Amino acid sequence: MASTAASSLLVSQKLFHGSYGSIGLGSPIPGFSSFKLSCRFSGSWNSGQVGAPIKWNSNSRLKNVRCSPSSIFSCASGTSEPSVFTDSSPRGGAAAEGVVVLVIGGGAREHALCCALRRSPSSGAVFCAPGNAGISKAGDATCVSDLNIADSPAVISFCRKWGVGLVVVGPEAPLVAGLTNDLVKAGILTFGPTVEAAALEGSKDFMKSLCDKYNIPTAKYKTFTDPSAAKKYIKEEGAPIVIKADGLADGKGAIVAMTLEEAYEAIDLILVMGAFGSAGCKVIVEEFLEGEEASFHALVDGENAIAMETSQDHKRVGDGDTGPNTGGMGAYSPAPILTLELQSFVMQSIILPIVKGMAVEGRKFVGVLYAGLMIEKKSGLPKMIECNVRFGDPECQVLMARLDSDLTQVLLAACKGELRGVTLEWAPEFAMVVVMASKGYPVASVSGTVIRNLEAAEAVAPSVKILHAGTTFDSDGNFVAGRGRALGVTAKGRNLEEARQRAYQAVETINWPGGFCRHDIGWRALPKNQFTEKSG
């Protein structure tokens, strides 16, 4: 059940969404009685009201429409500062109703998805649960902060109450927990795999077994539950070697051990000390592959798959790919390492065999399939080192920045098994995202530090967009960071150099003493003299 503040906010959306009815804005507008209008509300929660100057869209039919800038819509006072946006504008000269979308999650990935869905011509209202302060402040979605996304009946009730026509699940945990199963059973179109299909990410042992069965190229491995047996195998194989917890570990369950001692410590950490809880009941000991990593995303409808643009993540916390693995410290798109020939190889040898194999196994996959690849130095060919069942974070941020297609329609087509013949349109620019995290991440980060100057940072170039991950407001209305990653500073440019320059100019404008970032995002694809030596 939404809070009083959120409920009132939703009421404002309800009044404006075509499927719920309409609200008078003064005198009737001649010639527009059959049309819905696209409005952007900007304002803060003050004295129980939202000041809502209305900005019309650029539809030529609406150019002469005027509305008093002092229009006020009553709302209960609240503690957050959301904006309202609903878009059910006419399509093709006839009345049409936009699809109401609910995005599940509260990170920068979900913020990027909200922005892309907001741009979609076929979207109506966009909700995000729980969302975050940045999404809310920017008006990129209506955040429902106290909708428990782990409570399927509550999510279903919300969808039915507000006419949600599409649910987009961002993080992996709700997918592995079976949220899609419950929503689909209730008749709600949901983009994201079922719990059976989400095992591709929920269990690395399952994923590797599938690769073995369907001849999908991946690193040599063995699975263990016994620490002694695992250490014996490690001694036989030698170092460097990779140790992975079997289950979900928030992107921190993979340890690259450069020595035997480090590998033994990793085994003890996971199997003996239980550092990752139930996710570490089994470990995968995997060969170390030397080469360059890349990220490959494909949209899947159960039988068909269409490739998305390429991207490259930066997993290590420090410049020059040093330090422990993180959830991702930055990304760019496209990734030059993935040539057209390699993209074709990935589709034919990795993505399509997974899709077909999962269907044969009775685990039909619907959603986005994200293959983490290693382009081997010795062979020049990609092997799959991880398989995720949702958009990568931060790769999603650069993909959504470049996507020109109507995302809502594309995701609906996937949910309905209608991707055959669908093509995606992409902006020709390069995109880069630089992740800013609380100091100490990923080991022992500090929360509660204040972030300032974000508006000035976004103003450094028209293409800059700051995406938020888990930010909140303090009592003075300042943005406050949580533990871990907090911001994704995203920019586009005519080339990677320009995208990088704009992103880092925005980073330098942000006033956040409690945060840090890598200063070499894109280093593999750019001349090394472009990077200054800085510590985060």
Side-chain angles (χ1 to χ4, degrees):
M1 197 66 181
S3 66
T4 303
S7 297
S8 301
L9 179 61
L10 296 176
V11 168
S12 296
Q13 279 207 330
K14 179 179 178 182
L15 292 172
F16 271 88
H17 197 271
S19 62
Y20 298 123
S22 61
I23 184 171
L25 298 178
S27 301
I29 303 171
F32 287 91
S33 58
S34 63
F35 294 99
K36 311 296 187 299
L37 305 178
S38 173
C39 307
R40 171 81 180 266
F41 296 80
S42 59
S44 301
W45 294 92
N46 294 315
S47 304
Q49 295 180 323
V50 174
I54 296 179
K55 300 177 183 178
W56 303 108
N57 69 14
S58 57
N59 190 308
S60 59
R61 292 176 174 270
L62 304 180
K63 284 184 178 177
N64 296 321
V65 176
R66 296 290 183 269
C67 182
S68 167
S70 61
S71 299
I72 300 294
F73 299 91
S74 298
C75 297
S77 55
T79 57
S80 59
E81 299 189 12
S83 300
V84 181
F85 179 79
T86 175
D87 182 2
S88 45
S89 54
R91 314 292 176 200
E97 295 178 352
V99 178
V100 181
V101 185
L102 171 63
V103 176
I104 299 294
R109 167 183 48 214
E110 288 74 41
H111 195 170
L113 288 169
C114 287
C115 291
L117 291 163
R118 272 276 314 278
R119 294 196 308 267
S120 294
S122 55
S123 286
V126 178
F127 298 106
C128 189
N132 62 54
I135 297 173
S136 178
K137 181 76 170 181
D140 293 320
T142 300
C143 293
V144 192
S145 60
D146 56 358
L147 176 60
N148 183 3
I149 61 175
D151 183 350
S152 293
V155 176
I156 292 168
S157 176
F158 178 89
C159 290
R160 287 175 171 163
K161 182 174 183 179
W162 301 109
V164 172
L166 172 66
V167 175
V168 181
V169 184
E172 62 274 20
L175 297 170
V176 173
L179 178 60
T180 295
N181 298 61
D182 296 334
L183 291 171
V184 170
K185 186 176 180 180
I188 299 165
L189 288 176
T190 303
F191 182 78
T194 61
V195 64
E196 294 82 10
L200 276 171
E201 182 169 1
S203 171
K204 295 177 181 64
D205 181 54
F206 171 81
M207 182 271 286
K208 299 291 273 189
S209 298
L210 189 85
C211 289
D212 284 348
K213 188 172 183 178
Y214 294 96
N215 298 314
I216 298 164
T218 188
K220 175 186 173 184
Y221 79 102
K222 277 196 175 181
T223 302
F224 297 93
T225 57
D226 176 53
S228 298
K231 291 177 182 179
K232 180 181 178 182
Y233 177 76
I234 289 168
K235 185 176 181 179
E236 293 170 355
E237 293 296 313
I241 199 162
V242 182
I243 316 298
K244 296 179 178 179
D246 177 59
L248 299 181
D250 296 324
K252 303 174 186 67
I255 300 169
V256 180
M258 302 308 294
T259 66
L260 291 178
E261 289 71 22
E262 289 179 0
Y264 298 154
E265 289 174 3
I267 293 296
D268 288 338
L269 180 71
I270 299 172
L271 287 180
V272 179
M273 299 169 62
F276 300 111
S278 60
C281 290
K282 291 190 286 188
V283 296
I284 286 77
V285 180
E286 190 175 82
E287 75 171 309
F288 175 83
L289 298 178
E290 187 179 1
E292 186 170 342
E293 291 188 47
S295 301
F296 194 96
H297 291 72
L299 302 179
V300 182
D301 68 1
E303 297 180 358
N304 306 293
I306 54 176
M308 302 190 75
E309 264 288 7
T310 61
S311 58
Q312 188 174 74
D313 188 10
H314 297 62
K315 286 293 186 188
R316 299 290 189 120
V317 72
D319 289 1
D321 287 343
T322 57
N325 276 337
T326 70
M329 295 302 295
Y332 60 90
S333 174
I337 186 67
L338 278 170
T339 63
L340 290 176
E341 291 78 11
L342 286 184
Q343 291 177 51
S344 177
F345 179 90
V346 173
M347 282 297 292
Q348 296 301 320
S349 300
I350 296 177
I351 300 298
L352 291 176
I354 290 176
V355 174
K356 292 175 183 177
M358 291 294 283
V360 170
E361 298 295 319
R363 299 169 180 257
K364 188 173 284 191
F365 188 98
V366 175
V368 62
L369 197 56
Y370 158 29
L373 306 172
M374 178 66 75
I375 315 300
E376 272 199 292
K377 186 176 181 179
K378 62 181 180 181
S379 69
L381 294 176
K383 286 186 176 180
M384 188 168 70
I385 55 175
E386 66 174 336
C387 185
N388 296 325
V389 298
R390 37 71 188 180
F391 285 103
D393 183 346
E395 296 98 328
C396 183
Q397 288 83 302
V398 289
L399 293 177
M400 293 303 106
R402 296 187 58 220
L403 182 67
D404 279 345
S405 295
D406 184 331
L407 181 61
T408 301
Q409 285 301 319
V410 171
L411 300 188
L412 284 171
C415 294
K416 296 175 182 177
E418 299 173 355
L419 278 182
R420 182 180 293 275
V422 171
T423 57
L424 298 177
E425 297 178 0
W426 300 92
E429 296 99 332
F430 280 70
M432 179 177 286
V433 58
V434 178
V435 171
M436 300 189 73
S438 296
K439 286 184 175 178
Y441 174 77
V443 180
S445 55
V446 178
S447 63
T449 54
V450 174
I451 308 171
R452 295 186 172 88
N453 283 6
L454 293 182
E455 290 186 5
E458 281 199 329
V460 302
S463 70
V464 172
K465 176 67 176 179
I466 297 176
L467 302 167
H468 289 242
T471 56
T472 57
F473 292 111
D474 67 11
S475 59
D476 296 322
N478 298 309
F479 284 112
V480 174
R483 296 183 186 276
R485 298 180 296 174
L487 303 174
V489 183
T490 309
K492 291 191 293 183
R494 292 166 295 178
N495 48 48
L496 189 56
E497 291 89 340
E498 186 174 70
R500 178 184 183 276
Q501 184 271 329
R502 290 174 173 175
Y504 277 106
Q505 186 180 353
V507 167
E508 293 300 320
T509 305
I510 295 170
N511 179 6
W512 185 20
F516 78 101
C517 68
R518 277 182 60 162
H519 293 87
D520 65 345
I521 303 303
W523 72 274
R524 290 184 180 274
L526 289 169
K528 290 181 172 49
N529 61 11
Q530 295 199 25
F531 301 98
T532 50
E533 294 297 326
K534 293 184 179 180
S535 57

